Amino acid sequence: MVGCHKDGSPDVLETVQPEELAVAAFGAASRSGQWFEELFREHYSRVASLLARLTGDPGQAEEIASDVFSKLARRSVLLAGREDVAAWIYRVATNAGLDAVRANARRRKKEEAASRERWRTGSEDGALDWLLRAERCGRVRSLLAAMKPRDAQVLLLRSSGMAYREIASALGVQLSSVGTILARAERDFERRYRARYGDDV
């Protein structure tokens, strides 16, 4: 962002990070920034990491995470004091991430087809490994996008390293039910994977 002084000389060029934009947006929207700031500092990096794993694009993940916290800032009056704010954050983030995966599906198919053709005609080392890895990631993303949101959420949260207690809080469920929900989601994922791709891992 570049500005000018009254005398016309330019200000120093500043780089604004997505998390700074979210905090700044909240500061303008609410006088009680401490509540938001605490939530932001506690959850932003984990939400961005979760979204990066889901979308496969750290830049897009940062954008989505910033949007989630901007929504939180706009709804601060309604959400402040609620015990399930963390669950709301992860639910909104996961749903936005799944929407992004679905929106990228058509574009990704076209890019993969063009990429396969390019690699088929080229001879660069590691091309096969890159294609196989990209194909596996694409398969997982497409299956997660087709699953029930809560099932996809629980798989993503667990694969991000969250403990059962954290998952229970994020999903707004009892701690004792996390294992059952996770087991069902894993079975559903495996069933869908085998139905679509066979035993080809």
Side-chain angles (χ1 to χ4, degrees), residues 56-184:
D57 181 351
Q60 185 179 35
E62 291 278 339
E63 288 177 26
I64 296 169
S66 292
D67 288 344
V68 168
F69 281 92
S70 291
K71 287 179 185 178
L72 175 63
R74 288 191 301 272
R75 291 172 175 78
S76 63
V77 174
L78 298 172
L79 295 173
R82 286 180 53 173
E83 292 182 18
D84 64 344
V85 175
W88 183 91
I89 291 169
Y90 286 100
R91 194 167 36 252
V92 170
T94 306
N95 287 339
L98 290 170
D99 288 345
V101 168
R102 291 180 190 113
N104 292 337
R106 285 186 298 276
R107 178 186 52 81
R108 191 171 285 125
K109 283 182 181 179
K110 289 178 184 177
E111 288 175 354
E112 287 175 358
S115 179
R116 281 190 202 101
E117 181 60 26
R118 185 174 63 243
W119 290 114
R120 186 181 65 78
T121 59
S123 62
E124 188 173 327
D125 290 339
L128 180 59
D129 292 335
W130 180 86
L131 276 175
L132 291 173
R133 187 170 41 254
E135 184 178 350
R136 274 188 229 111
C137 289
R139 287 177 176 185
V140 169
R141 287 186 188 107
S142 69
L143 288 174
L144 287 173
M147 293 176 72
K148 292 178 184 175
R150 188 174 81 169
D151 289 349
Q153 287 171 341
V154 74
L155 291 174
L156 285 166
L157 294 172
R158 186 62 179 161
S159 70
S160 295
M162 286 184 132
Y164 278 26
R165 184 174 308 284
E166 294 170 308
I167 294 171
S169 173
L171 294 178
V173 298
Q174 295 293 319
L175 175 61
S176 59
S177 64
V178 171
T180 304
I181 293 169
L182 183 60
R184 284 184 193 147

Side-chain angles (χ1 to χ4, degrees), residues 26 32-40 72 75-77 79-82 85:
F26 180 74
S32 62
Q34 185 176 2
W35 171 81
F36 174 82
E37 206 166 313
E38 287 173 7
L39 282 170
F40 181 84
L72 175 63
R75 291 172 175 78
S76 63
V77 174
L79 295 173
R82 286 180 53 173
V85 175

